[in-house]
Coordinates of all heavy atoms in Angstrom, one line a residue:
M120 N 103.6 83.1 83.1 CA 103.8 83.1 84.5 C 102.7 84.2 85.2 O 102.9 85.3 84.8 CB 105.2 83.6 84.9 CG 105.4 83.9 86.3 SD 106.9 84.9 86.8 CE 108.2 83.9 85.9
P121 N 101.9 83.7 86.1 CA 101.0 84.6 86.6 C 101.7 85.7 87.5 O 102.6 85.4 88.3 CB 100.1 83.8 87.6 CG 100.4 82.4 87.2 CD 101.8 82.4 86.6
L122 N 101.3 86.9 87.4 CA 101.9 88.0 88.2 C 101.0 88.5 89.3 O 101.5 88.7 90.4 CB 102.1 89.3 87.2 CG 103.1 89.1 86.1 CD1 103.2 90.2 85.2 CD2 104.5 88.8 86.7
I123 N 99.7 88.5 89.0 CA 98.7 88.9 90.0 C 97.3 88.7 89.4 O 97.1 88.6 88.2 CB 98.9 90.5 90.3 CG1 98.1 91.0 91.5 CG2 98.5 91.3 89.1 CD1 98.5 92.4 92.0
A124 N 96.3 88.5 90.4 CA 95.0 88.3 89.9 C 94.4 89.6 89.4 O 94.7 90.7 90.0 CB 94.1 87.8 91.0
L125 N 93.7 89.6 88.3 CA 93.1 90.9 87.8 C 92.3 91.7 88.8 O 92.4 92.8 88.9 CB 92.3 90.6 86.5 CG 91.7 91.8 85.9 CD1 92.8 92.8 85.3 CD2 90.8 91.4 84.7
D126 N 91.6 90.9 89.6 CA 90.7 91.5 90.7 C 91.6 92.2 91.7 O 91.0 93.1 92.5 CB 89.8 90.4 91.3 CG 88.7 90.0 90.4 OD1 88.5 90.6 89.3 OD2 88.1 88.9 90.7
S127 N 92.8 91.9 91.8 CA 93.6 92.6 92.8 C 94.2 93.9 92.3 O 94.9 94.6 93.0 CB 94.8 91.7 93.2 OG 94.3 90.6 93.7
L128 N 94.0 94.2 91.0 CA 94.5 95.4 90.4 C 93.4 96.5 90.4 O 92.4 96.3 89.6 CB 95.0 95.2 89.0 CG 96.4 94.7 88.7 CD1 96.6 94.7 87.2 CD2 97.4 95.6 89.4
P129 N 93.6 97.6 91.2 CA 92.6 98.6 91.1 C 92.7 99.3 89.8 O 93.8 99.4 89.1 CB 92.9 99.5 92.3 CG 94.4 99.2 92.6 CD 94.6 97.8 92.1
E130 N 91.6 100.0 89.3 CA 91.6 100.7 88.1 C 92.5 102.0 88.4 O 92.3 102.6 89.4 CB 90.2 101.2 87.7 CG 89.5 100.1 86.9 CD 89.8 100.0 85.5 OE1 90.1 101.1 84.9 OE2 89.7 99.0 84.9
Q131 N 93.4 102.3 87.4 CA 94.1 103.6 87.3 C 94.9 103.8 88.6 O 95.0 105.0 89.0 CB 93.1 104.7 87.1 CG 92.4 104.5 85.8 CD 91.8 105.8 85.1 OE1 92.4 106.8 85.3 NE2 90.8 105.6 84.3
Q132 N 95.5 102.7 89.1 CA 96.4 102.9 90.2 C 97.6 102.0 90.0 O 97.4 100.8 89.9 CB 95.6 102.4 91.5 CG 96.5 102.6 92.8 CD 96.7 104.0 93.1 OE1 95.8 104.9 93.0 NE2 97.9 104.4 93.5
P133 N 98.7 102.5 89.8 CA 99.9 101.7 89.5 C 100.2 100.8 90.7 O 100.1 101.1 91.8 CB 101.1 102.7 89.3 CG 100.6 104.0 89.8 CD 99.1 104.0 89.9
V134 N 100.6 99.5 90.3 CA 100.9 98.5 91.3 C 102.2 97.9 91.0 O 102.5 97.6 89.8 CB 99.7 97.4 91.3 CG1 100.1 96.2 92.2 CG2 98.4 98.1 91.9
E135 N 103.0 97.6 92.0 CA 104.3 97.1 91.8 C 104.3 95.6 92.0 O 103.6 95.1 93.0 CB 105.3 97.7 92.7 CG 106.8 97.4 92.4 CD 107.3 96.3 93.3 OE1 106.6 95.9 94.3 OE2 108.4 95.8 93.0
V136 N 104.8 94.8 91.2 CA 105.0 93.4 91.4 C 106.4 93.0 91.0 O 107.1 93.6 90.2 CB 104.0 92.5 90.6 CG1 102.6 92.8 91.0 CG2 104.2 92.7 89.1
E137 N 106.9 91.9 91.6 CA 108.2 91.4 91.2 C 108.0 90.1 90.5 O 107.0 89.3 90.8 CB 109.0 91.1 92.5 CG 109.4 92.4 93.2 CD 110.4 92.2 94.3 OE1 110.5 91.1 94.8 OE2 111.1 93.2 94.7
C138 N 108.9 89.8 89.5 CA 108.8 88.6 88.8 C 110.3 88.2 88.3 O 111.1 89.1 88.4 CB 107.9 88.7 87.6 SG 108.5 89.7 86.3
N139 N 110.4 87.0 88.0 CA 111.6 86.5 87.5 C 111.7 86.7 86.0 O 110.9 86.1 85.2 CB 111.8 85.0 87.9 CG 113.1 84.5 87.6 OD1 113.8 84.8 86.7 ND2 113.6 83.7 88.5
L140 N 112.6 87.5 85.5 CA 112.8 87.7 84.1 C 114.2 87.3 83.7 O 115.2 87.9 84.2 CB 112.6 89.2 83.7 CG 111.2 89.7 83.7 CD1 111.2 91.2 83.3 CD2 110.3 89.0 82.7
G141 N 114.3 86.3 82.9 CA 115.6 85.8 82.5 C 116.6 85.5 83.7 O 117.7 85.7 83.6
G142 N 116.0 85.0 84.8 CA 116.8 84.5 85.9 C 117.0 85.6 87.0 O 117.6 85.3 88.0
D143 N 116.6 86.9 86.7 CA 116.7 87.9 87.6 C 115.4 88.3 88.2 O 114.4 88.4 87.4 CB 117.4 89.2 86.9 CG 118.8 88.9 86.6 OD1 119.6 88.2 87.4 OD2 119.2 89.4 85.5
V144 N 115.3 88.7 89.4 CA 114.1 89.2 90.0 C 114.0 90.7 89.6 O 115.0 91.4 90.0 CB 114.1 89.1 91.5 CG1 112.8 89.7 92.1 CG2 114.1 87.6 91.9
E145 N 112.9 91.1 89.0 CA 112.8 92.5 88.4 C 111.5 93.0 89.1 O 110.5 92.3 89.3 CB 112.7 92.5 87.0 CG 113.9 91.9 86.2 CD 115.1 92.8 86.2 OE1 115.0 93.9 86.8 OE2 116.1 92.4 85.7
S146 N 111.5 94.3 89.2 CA 110.3 95.0 89.6 C 109.5 95.6 88.4 O 110.1 96.2 87.6 CB 110.7 96.2 90.6 OG 109.6 97.0 90.9
L147 N 108.2 95.3 88.4 CA 107.4 95.8 87.3 C 106.3 96.7 87.8 O 105.9 96.6 89.0 CB 106.7 94.6 86.6 CG 107.5 93.5 86.0 CD1 106.6 92.5 85.3 CD2 108.6 94.1 85.0
I148 N 105.9 97.6 87.0 CA 104.7 98.5 87.3 C 103.6 98.0 86.4 O 103.7 98.0 85.2 CB 105.0 100.0 86.9 CG1 106.2 100.5 87.7 CG2 103.7 100.9 87.2 CD1 106.8 101.8 87.2
L149 N 102.5 97.7 87.1 CA 101.2 97.3 86.3 C 100.2 98.4 86.5 O 100.1 99.0 87.5 CB 100.6 96.0 86.9 CG 101.5 94.7 86.9 CD1 100.7 93.5 87.5 CD2 102.0 94.4 85.5
F150 N 99.5 98.6 85.4 CA 98.5 99.7 85.4 C 97.3 99.2 84.6 O 97.4 98.8 83.5 CB 99.1 100.9 84.7 CG 98.2 102.2 84.9 CD1 98.0 102.8 86.1 CD2 97.5 102.7 83.7 CE1 97.2 103.9 86.2 CE2 96.7 103.8 83.9 CZ 96.6 104.4 85.1
R151 N 96.2 99.2 85.3 CA 94.9 98.8 84.7 C 94.0 100.0 84.4 O 93.8 100.9 85.2 CB 94.2 97.9 85.7 CG 92.9 97.4 85.3 CD 92.1 96.5 86.3 NE 90.9 96.1 85.9 CZ 90.1 95.3 86.6 NH1 90.5 94.8 87.7 NH2 88.9 94.9 86.1
R152 N 93.5 100.0 83.2 CA 92.6 101.0 82.7 C 91.6 100.4 81.9 O 91.9 99.7 80.9 CB 93.3 102.1 82.0 CG 92.4 103.2 81.5 CD 93.1 104.3 80.8 NE 93.9 105.2 81.7 CZ 94.9 105.9 81.3 NH1 95.3 105.9 80.1 NH2 95.5 106.6 82.2
D153 N 90.3 100.6 82.2 CA 89.2 100.0 81.4 C 89.4 98.5 81.2 O 89.1 98.1 80.1 CB 89.1 100.8 80.1 CG 88.8 102.2 80.3 OD1 88.1 102.6 81.3 OD2 89.2 103.0 79.5
G154 N 89.9 97.9 82.2 CA 89.9 96.4 82.1 C 91.2 95.9 81.4 O 91.5 94.7 81.5
E155 N 92.0 96.8 80.8 CA 93.2 96.4 80.1 C 94.4 96.7 81.0 O 94.4 97.7 81.8 CB 93.4 97.1 78.8 CG 92.3 96.7 77.8 CD 92.6 97.2 76.4 OE1 93.8 97.6 76.1 OE2 91.7 97.2 75.5
V156 N 95.4 95.9 80.9 CA 96.6 96.0 81.8 C 97.8 96.2 80.9 O 98.1 95.5 80.0 CB 96.7 94.7 82.7 CG1 98.0 94.9 83.6 CG2 95.4 94.5 83.5
Q157 N 98.6 97.2 81.4 CA 99.9 97.5 80.7 C 101.0 97.2 81.8 O 100.7 97.4 83.1 CB 100.0 98.9 80.2 CG 99.1 99.1 79.0 CD 99.0 100.5 78.6 OE1 98.4 101.3 79.2 NE2 99.7 100.8 77.5
A158 N 102.2 97.0 81.4 CA 103.3 96.7 82.3 C 104.5 97.4 81.8 O 104.8 97.4 80.6 CB 103.6 95.2 82.5
W159 N 105.3 98.0 82.7 CA 106.6 98.5 82.4 C 107.6 98.1 83.5 O 107.2 97.8 84.6 CB 106.5 100.0 82.4 CG 105.7 100.6 81.4 CD1 106.0 100.9 80.1 CD2 104.3 101.0 81.5 NE1 105.0 101.4 79.4 CE2 103.9 101.5 80.2 CE3 103.4 101.1 82.5 CZ2 102.6 102.0 80.1 CZ3 102.2 101.6 82.4 CH2 101.8 102.1 81.1
M160 N 108.9 98.1 83.1 CA 109.9 97.9 84.1 C 109.9 99.1 85.0 O 109.8 100.2 84.6 CB 111.3 97.8 83.4 CG 111.4 96.6 82.4 SD 111.4 95.1 83.2 CE 113.0 95.1 84.1
N161 N 110.1 98.8 86.3 CA 110.1 99.9 87.3 C 111.5 100.4 87.3 O 112.3 100.4 88.4 CB 109.7 99.3 88.7 CG 109.6 100.4 89.8 OD1 109.6 101.6 89.4 ND2 109.6 100.0 91.0
V162 N 111.9 101.0 86.2 CA 113.2 101.5 86.0 C 113.2 102.8 85.2 O 112.6 102.9 84.1 CB 114.2 100.5 85.2 CG1 115.5 101.1 85.0 CG2 114.3 99.2 85.9
C163 N 113.6 103.9 85.9 CA 113.5 105.2 85.2 C 114.6 105.3 84.1 O 115.7 104.9 84.4 CB 113.7 106.3 86.2 SG 113.6 107.9 85.6
P164 N 114.2 105.8 82.9 CA 115.2 105.9 81.9 C 116.2 107.0 82.2 O 117.3 107.0 81.4 CB 114.4 106.3 80.6 CG 113.0 106.6 81.1 CD 112.9 106.1 82.5
H165 N 116.0 107.8 83.2 CA 117.0 108.9 83.4 C 118.2 108.2 84.1 O 119.3 108.4 83.5 CB 116.4 110.0 84.3 CG 117.4 110.9 84.8 ND1 117.6 111.4 86.1 CD2 118.4 111.6 84.1 CE1 118.5 112.2 86.3 NE2 119.1 112.4 85.0
A166 N 118.1 107.7 85.2 CA 119.3 107.2 85.9 C 119.2 105.7 86.3 O 120.0 105.3 87.1 CB 119.6 108.1 87.2
G167 N 118.2 105.0 85.8 CA 118.1 103.6 86.0 C 117.6 103.2 87.4 O 117.9 102.1 87.8
R168 N 117.0 104.2 88.1 CA 116.6 103.9 89.5 C 115.1 103.5 89.4 O 114.4 103.8 88.5 CB 116.7 105.2 90.3 CG 118.2 105.8 90.3 CD 119.0 105.3 91.4 NE 118.6 105.7 92.7 CZ 118.9 106.9 93.2 NH1 119.6 107.8 92.5 NH2 118.5 107.2 94.4
R169 N 114.7 102.8 90.5 CA 113.3 102.5 90.7 C 112.5 103.9 90.9 O 113.1 104.8 91.4 CB 113.0 101.7 92.0 CG 113.5 100.3 92.0 CD 113.4 99.6 93.3 NE 112.0 99.5 93.8 CZ 111.3 98.4 94.0 NH1 112.0 97.3 93.7 NH2 110.1 98.4 94.3
M170 N 111.3 103.8 90.5 CA 110.5 105.1 90.6 C 109.6 105.2 91.7 O 109.0 106.3 92.0 CB 109.7 105.2 89.3 CG 110.7 105.4 88.1 SD 109.9 105.8 86.6 CE 108.9 104.4 86.3
D171 N 109.4 104.1 92.5 CA 108.6 104.2 93.7 C 109.4 104.8 94.9 O 110.6 104.6 95.0 CB 107.9 102.9 94.1 CG 108.8 101.7 93.9 OD1 110.0 101.9 93.5 OD2 108.4 100.6 94.1
Y172 N 108.7 105.6 95.7 CA 109.4 106.2 96.8 C 109.6 105.2 98.0 O 110.4 105.4 98.9 CB 108.8 107.5 97.3 CG 107.4 107.4 97.8 CD1 107.1 107.1 99.1 CD2 106.3 107.6 97.0 CE1 105.8 107.1 99.6 CE2 105.0 107.4 97.5 CZ 104.7 107.2 98.7 OH 103.5 107.1 99.2
A173 N 108.8 104.2 98.1 CA 108.9 103.1 99.0 C 108.3 101.9 98.1 O 107.7 102.1 97.2 CB 108.1 103.3 100.2
P174 N 108.7 100.7 98.5 CA 108.3 99.6 97.6 C 106.8 99.6 97.3 O 106.0 99.6 98.2 CB 108.7 98.4 98.4 CG 109.9 98.9 99.2 CD 109.6 100.3 99.6
G175 N 106.4 99.8 96.1 CA 105.1 99.7 95.6 C 104.3 101.0 95.9 O 103.1 101.1 95.6
Q176 N 105.0 102.1 96.3 CA 104.3 103.3 96.6 C 104.7 104.4 95.5 O 105.9 104.7 95.4 CB 104.7 103.9 98.0 CG 104.3 102.9 99.1 CD 102.8 102.7 99.2 OE1 102.0 103.6 99.3 NE2 102.5 101.5 99.2
F177 N 103.8 104.8 94.7 CA 104.1 105.7 93.6 C 103.4 107.1 93.8 O 102.3 107.2 94.3 CB 103.6 105.1 92.3 CG 104.3 103.8 91.9 CD1 103.7 102.5 92.2 CD2 105.5 103.8 91.3 CE1 104.3 101.4 91.9 CE2 106.1 102.6 90.9 CZ 105.6 101.4 91.2
L178 N 104.1 108.1 93.3 CA 103.6 109.4 93.2 C 102.9 109.6 91.9 O 103.4 109.1 90.9 CB 104.7 110.4 93.3 CG 105.5 110.4 94.7 CD1 106.8 111.2 94.5 CD2 104.7 110.9 95.8
L179 N 101.8 110.3 91.9 CA 101.0 110.6 90.7 C 100.7 112.1 90.7 O 100.6 112.7 91.7 CB 99.6 109.9 90.7 CG 99.8 108.3 90.6 CD1 98.3 107.7 90.8 CD2 100.3 107.9 89.3
T180 N 100.7 112.6 89.5 CA 100.3 114.0 89.3 C 98.7 114.0 89.3 O 98.1 113.0 89.3 CB 100.7 114.6 88.0 OG1 100.1 113.9 86.9 CG2 102.2 114.5 87.8
R181 N 98.2 115.3 89.4 CA 96.7 115.4 89.4 C 96.1 114.8 88.2 O 94.9 114.4 88.2 CB 96.3 116.8 89.6 CG 96.0 117.2 91.0 CD 95.5 118.7 91.0 NE 96.4 119.4 91.9 CZ 96.6 120.7 91.8 NH1 96.1 121.4 90.9 NH2 97.4 121.3 92.6
D182 N 96.8 114.8 87.1 CA 96.3 114.3 85.8 C 96.7 112.8 85.6 O 96.8 112.3 84.5 CB 96.5 115.1 84.6 CG 98.0 115.3 84.3 OD1 98.9 114.9 85.2 OD2 98.3 115.8 83.2
Q183 N 97.0 112.1 86.7 CA 97.3 110.6 86.7 C 98.6 110.3 85.9 O 98.7 109.3 85.3 CB 96.2 109.9 86.0 CG 94.9 109.8 86.9 CD 95.2 109.0 88.2 OE1 95.4 109.5 89.3 NE2 95.1 107.7 88.0
Q184 N 99.6 111.2 85.9 CA 100.9 110.8 85.4 C 101.8 110.3 86.5 O 101.7 110.7 87.7 CB 101.6 111.9 84.7 CG 100.8 112.4 83.5 CD 101.6 113.3 82.6 OE1 102.8 113.0 82.3 NE2 101.0 114.4 82.0
L185 N 102.6 109.3 86.2 CA 103.5 108.7 87.2 C 104.8 109.6 87.4 O 105.2 110.1 86.4 CB 103.9 107.4 86.7 CG 104.9 106.5 87.5 CD1 104.2 106.1 88.8 CD2 105.4 105.3 86.8
V186 N 105.1 109.8 88.6 CA 106.2 110.7 88.9 C 107.4 109.8 89.5 O 107.2 109.0 90.4 CB 105.9 111.7 90.0 CG1 107.0 112.7 90.3 CG2 104.7 112.6 89.4
C187 N 108.6 110.0 88.8 CA 109.7 109.3 89.4 C 110.1 110.0 90.7 O 110.3 111.2 90.7 CB 110.9 109.3 88.4 SG 112.4 108.6 89.1
A188 N 110.2 109.2 91.7 CA 110.5 109.7 93.1 C 111.9 110.2 93.2 O 112.2 110.9 94.2 CB 110.2 108.7 94.1
V189 N 112.8 109.9 92.3 CA 114.2 110.3 92.4 C 114.4 111.7 92.0 O 114.9 112.6 92.7 CB 115.1 109.3 91.6 CG1 116.6 109.6 91.9 CG2 114.8 107.9 92.1
H190 N 114.1 112.0 90.7 CA 114.4 113.4 90.2 C 113.1 114.1 89.7 O 113.2 115.1 89.0 CB 115.4 113.4 89.2 CG 116.8 112.9 89.7 ND1 117.3 111.7 89.2 CD2 117.6 113.3 90.6 CE1 118.4 111.4 89.8 NE2 118.6 112.3 90.7
G191 N 112.0 113.4 89.8 CA 110.7 114.0 89.4 C 110.2 114.0 88.0 O 109.3 114.6 87.6
A192 N 110.9 113.1 87.2 CA 110.3 113.0 85.8 C 108.9 112.4 85.8 O 108.6 111.7 86.7 CB 111.3 112.0 85.0
T193 N 108.1 112.9 84.8 CA 106.7 112.5 84.8 C 106.5 111.6 83.5 O 107.1 111.8 82.5 CB 105.8 113.6 84.7 OG1 106.2 114.6 83.7 CG2 105.8 114.4 86.0
F194 N 105.6 110.6 83.7 CA 105.3 109.6 82.6 C 103.8 109.4 82.4 O 103.1 109.2 83.4 CB 106.0 108.3 83.0 CG 107.5 108.3 83.1 CD1 108.0 108.7 84.3 CD2 108.3 108.1 82.0 CE1 109.4 108.8 84.5 CE2 109.7 108.1 82.2 CZ 110.3 108.5 83.4
R195 N 103.4 109.4 81.2 CA 102.1 109.1 80.8 C 101.9 107.5 81.1 O 102.7 106.7 80.7 CB 101.7 109.3 79.4 CG 101.5 110.7 79.0 CD 100.8 110.9 77.7 NE 101.6 110.2 76.6 CZ 102.2 110.9 75.7 NH1 102.2 112.2 75.7 NH2 102.9 110.3 74.8
L196 N 100.7 107.2 81.7 CA 100.5 105.7 82.0 C 99.8 105.1 80.9 O 99.6 103.9 81.0 CB 99.8 105.7 83.3 CG 100.8 105.8 84.5 CD1 100.0 106.0 85.8 CD2 101.6 104.5 84.7
D197 N 99.5 105.7 79.8 CA 98.9 105.0 78.7 C 99.9 104.5 77.7 O 99.8 103.5 77.0 CB 97.8 105.8 77.9 CG 98.3 107.1 77.5 OD1 99.4 107.5 77.8 OD2 97.5 107.8 76.8
D198 N 101.1 105.2 77.6 CA 102.1 104.7 76.7 C 103.6 104.7 77.3 O 104.5 104.4 76.6 CB 102.2 105.5 75.4 CG 102.4 107.0 75.6 OD1 102.7 107.4 76.8 OD2 102.3 107.7 74.6
G199 N 103.7 105.1 78.6 CA 105.0 105.1 79.2 C 105.9 106.2 78.8 O 107.1 106.3 79.2
A200 N 105.4 107.2 78.0 CA 106.3 108.3 77.6 C 106.6 109.3 78.7 O 105.7 109.7 79.4 CB 105.6 109.0 76.3
C201 N 107.8 109.8 78.7 CA 108.2 110.8 79.7 C 107.8 112.1 79.1 O 108.2 112.5 78.0 CB 109.7 110.7 79.9 SG 110.2 112.0 81.1
T202 N 107.1 112.8 79.9 CA 106.5 114.1 79.4 C 107.2 115.3 80.0 O 106.9 116.5 79.7 CB 105.0 114.2 79.8 OG1 104.8 114.1 81.2 CG2 104.2 113.2 79.1
G203 N 108.1 115.1 81.0 CA 108.7 116.2 81.7 C 109.8 115.6 82.6 O 109.8 114.6 83.0
G204 N 110.9 116.5 82.7 CA 112.0 116.2 83.6 C 113.2 115.8 82.8 O 113.2 116.0 81.6
P205 N 114.2 115.2 83.5 CA 115.5 115.0 82.9 C 115.5 114.0 81.7 O 116.5 113.9 81.0 CB 116.4 114.6 84.0 CG 115.5 114.1 85.0 CD 114.2 114.8 84.9
C206 N 114.5 113.1 81.6 CA 114.5 112.2 80.5 C 113.3 112.4 79.6 O 112.8 111.4 78.9 CB 114.5 110.7 81.0 SG 113.3 110.4 82.4
R207 N 112.9 113.6 79.4 CA 111.7 114.0 78.6 C 112.0 113.4 77.2 O 113.1 113.6 76.7 CB 111.6 115.5 78.5 CG 110.4 115.9 77.7 CD 110.4 117.4 77.6 NE 109.2 117.9 76.9 CZ 108.3 118.6 77.5 NH1 108.3 119.0 78.7 NH2 107.2 118.9 76.8
G208 N 111.0 112.8 76.6 CA 111.1 112.2 75.3 C 111.5 110.8 75.3 O 111.3 110.1 74.2
Q209 N 112.0 110.3 76.4 CA 112.3 108.8 76.5 C 111.1 108.1 77.0 O 110.0 108.7 77.3 CB 113.4 108.6 77.4 CG 114.7 109.2 76.8 CD 115.9 108.9 77.7 OE1 116.2 107.7 78.0 NE2 116.6 109.9 78.2
T210 N 111.1 106.8 77.0 CA 109.9 106.0 77.3 C 110.3 104.9 78.3 O 111.4 104.3 78.2 CB 109.3 105.3 76.0 OG1 109.2 106.4 75.1 CG2 108.0 104.6 76.3
L211 N 109.4 104.6 79.2 CA 109.6 103.4 80.0 C 109.7 102.1 79.2 O 109.1 102.1 78.1 CB 108.5 103.3 81.0 CG 108.3 104.4 82.0 CD1 107.0 104.1 82.8 CD2 109.5 104.6 82.8
L212 N 110.4 101.2 79.6 CA 110.5 99.8 78.9 C 109.3 99.0 79.2 O 109.1 98.6 80.3 CB 111.8 99.2 79.3 CG 112.1 97.9 78.6 CD1 112.3 98.1 77.1 CD2 113.4 97.2 79.2
A213 N 108.6 98.8 78.1 CA 107.3 98.0 78.2 C 107.6 96.5 78.4 O 108.5 96.0 77.9 CB 106.4 98.2 77.0
V214 N 106.7 95.9 79.1 CA 106.8 94.4 79.3 C 105.4 93.9 78.8 O 104.4 94.3 79.2 CB 107.1 94.0 80.8 CG1 107.0 92.5 81.0 CG2 108.3 94.6 81.3
A215 N 105.5 92.8 77.9 CA 104.2 92.3 77.4 C 103.5 91.4 78.4 O 104.1 90.5 79.0 CB 104.6 91.4 76.2
V216 N 102.3 91.8 78.7 CA 101.4 91.0 79.6 C 100.0 90.9 78.9 O 99.7 91.6 78.0 CB 101.3 91.7 81.0 CG1 102.6 91.8 81.7 CG2 100.7 93.1 80.8
E217 N 99.3 89.9 79.4 CA 97.9 89.8 79.0 C 97.1 89.3 80.2 O 97.6 88.7 81.2 CB 97.8 88.9 77.8 CG 98.1 87.4 78.0 CD 98.0 86.7 76.7 OE1 98.0 87.2 75.6 OE2 98.0 85.4 76.8
V218 N 95.8 89.3 80.0 CA 94.9 88.8 81.1 C 94.4 87.4 80.6 O 93.9 87.3 79.5 CB 93.7 89.7 81.4 CG1 92.8 89.1 82.4 CG2 94.2 91.0 81.9
R219 N 94.7 86.4 81.4 CA 94.3 85.0 81.0 C 93.7 84.4 82.2 O 94.3 84.3 83.3 CB 95.6 84.3 80.6 CG 95.2 83.0 79.8 CD 96.5 82.3 79.4 NE 97.5 83.1 78.7 CZ 98.8 82.9 78.6 NH1 99.3 81.9 79.4 NH2 99.5 83.7 77.9
D220 N 92.4 83.9 82.0 CA 91.7 83.2 83.2 C 91.7 84.0 84.5 O 92.0 83.5 85.5 CB 92.3 81.9 83.4 CG 92.2 81.0 82.2 OD1 91.2 81.1 81.5 OD2 93.1 80.1 82.0
G221 N 91.6 85.3 84.3 CA 91.4 86.2 85.5 C 92.8 86.6 86.1 O 92.8 87.2 87.2
E222 N 93.9 86.3 85.5 CA 95.1 86.6 86.0 C 95.9 87.4 85.0 O 95.8 87.1 83.8 CB 95.9 85.3 86.4 CG 95.3 84.6 87.6 CD 96.3 83.5 88.2 OE1 96.6 82.6 87.4 OE2 96.7 83.8 89.4
V223 N 96.9 88.3 85.5 CA 97.8 89.0 84.6 C 99.0 88.1 84.5 O 99.6 87.7 85.4 CB 98.1 90.4 85.2 CG1 99.1 91.1 84.3 CG2 96.9 91.2 85.5
V224 N 99.3 87.8 83.2 CA 100.5 86.9 83.0 C 101.5 87.5 82.0 O 101.1 88.4 81.2 CB 100.0 85.5 82.4 CG1 99.1 84.8 83.4 CG2 99.3 85.7 81.1
L225 N 102.7 87.1 82.1 CA 103.7 87.6 81.1 C 103.4 86.9 79.8 O 103.0 85.6 79.8 CB 105.1 87.2 81.6 CG 105.7 87.9 82.8 CD1 107.0 87.3 83.2 CD2 105.9 89.4 82.5
V226 N 103.5 87.5 78.7 CA 103.3 86.9 77.4 C 104.6 86.2 77.0 O 105.7 86.7 77.1 CB 102.9 87.9 76.4 CG1 102.7 87.3 75.1 CG2 101.6 88.6 76.9
Ligands
LIG396 S1 116.1 108.7 88.1 FE1 114.1 109.2 87.6 S2 114.1 111.3 87.1 FE2 116.2 110.7 87.7

């Protein structure tokens, strides 16, 4: 299922998309770096809340870590690991995606 055109994804800027996963509409975070795209559920492992402060608007630290807008946990965007805050040591739930014919698709 196409999620977004690769050209619509800026480098090193998290982007929120919604998709149908198992019959439910879910929010995903896409992150493009060096032409590769990773995806995680937009669900914080601390309290299960969305991490954007407004739909699709994410806070980042100066060193490009994602900040959960609810209680401030920080996450590396190369592996989704929480590096600080109430869920330190936990990891965002990864979603398998790939780039096919110029589009980011669920695998
Ligand atoms: S819900 Fe994200 S840090 Fe609490």
